[in-house]
Amino acid sequence: MAQKIRVLLIFEILGRPPEHIKKSLDDFVSTLGDKKGIELVSKTIHEPKPVEDKEAKDLFTTFAEVEVMLDNLNLLFSIVLNMLPSSIEIIQPEELKLSNFELNSVISELAVKLHKYDEIAKTVTIENSNLVNQIRV
């Protein structure tokens, strides 16, 4: 049986009102425990704090500390690529083994994600150029 992976994740959110961002973050984090192969060990949602930037009127920020047990390394990579935690700390085990198959799977998922971002960036660049040209006319 493969060894489980214990991971501490931090997720951050920015928005308003403070009650909404706290609930949204709690809902977001709770979805982790619904996924096969992921056990939600603990979660702490911190109280929202006002952003200390004069430009960011009425914006609040909060974060969640989440500890999970994962059945395999692919689940960790999936969380990182799809949920974008701001911090990841593998607590256990101290050493991990990765097969070629697992690495291929992760690299393929990363490549797909990067291609999607590249497509979006190119589309936005073209749309921006078109808008600039329309303004000049």
Side-chain angles (χ1 to χ4, degrees), residues 3-111:
Q3 188 174 13
K4 295 214 178 224
I5 303 165
R6 181 180 292 266
V7 181
L8 179 63
L9 304 162
I10 295 180
F11 295 97
E12 298 176 285
I13 190 170
L14 174 76
R16 63 177 162 251
E19 311 79 39
H20 175 71
I21 65 169
K22 186 175 181 183
K23 182 177 180 342
S24 295
L25 185 58
D26 189 32
D27 292 347
F28 177 75
V29 166
S30 294
T31 65
L32 270 172
D34 298 338
K35 293 181 173 55
K36 185 179 178 191
I38 301 175
E39 176 191 344
L40 186 59
V41 176
S42 67
K43 68 176 179 179
T44 303
I45 311 290
H46 295 270
E47 287 301 317
K49 304 271 189 233
V51 174
E52 296 180 15
D53 183 348
K54 292 177 186 176
E55 306 271 326
K57 281 188 174 180
D58 302 324
L59 281 178
F60 292 82
T61 184
T62 188
F63 67 100
E65 296 174 90
V66 182
E67 189 173 323
V68 293
M69 290 291 277
L70 307 173
D71 283 354
N72 58 59
L73 201 52
N74 280 349
L75 287 169
L76 177 58
F77 286 118
S78 180
I79 290 169
V80 171
L81 289 172
N82 296 306
M83 299 184 81
L84 303 174
S86 58
S87 176
I88 304 108
E89 179 185 350
I90 298 173
I91 300 168
Q92 292 175 330
E94 279 189 33
E95 292 184 12
L96 295 166
K97 257 188 173 174
L98 188 62
S99 71
N100 286 352
F101 178 78
E102 290 171 313
L103 186 57
N104 288 336
S105 174
V106 170
I107 290 172
S108 294
E109 189 175 347
L110 178 59

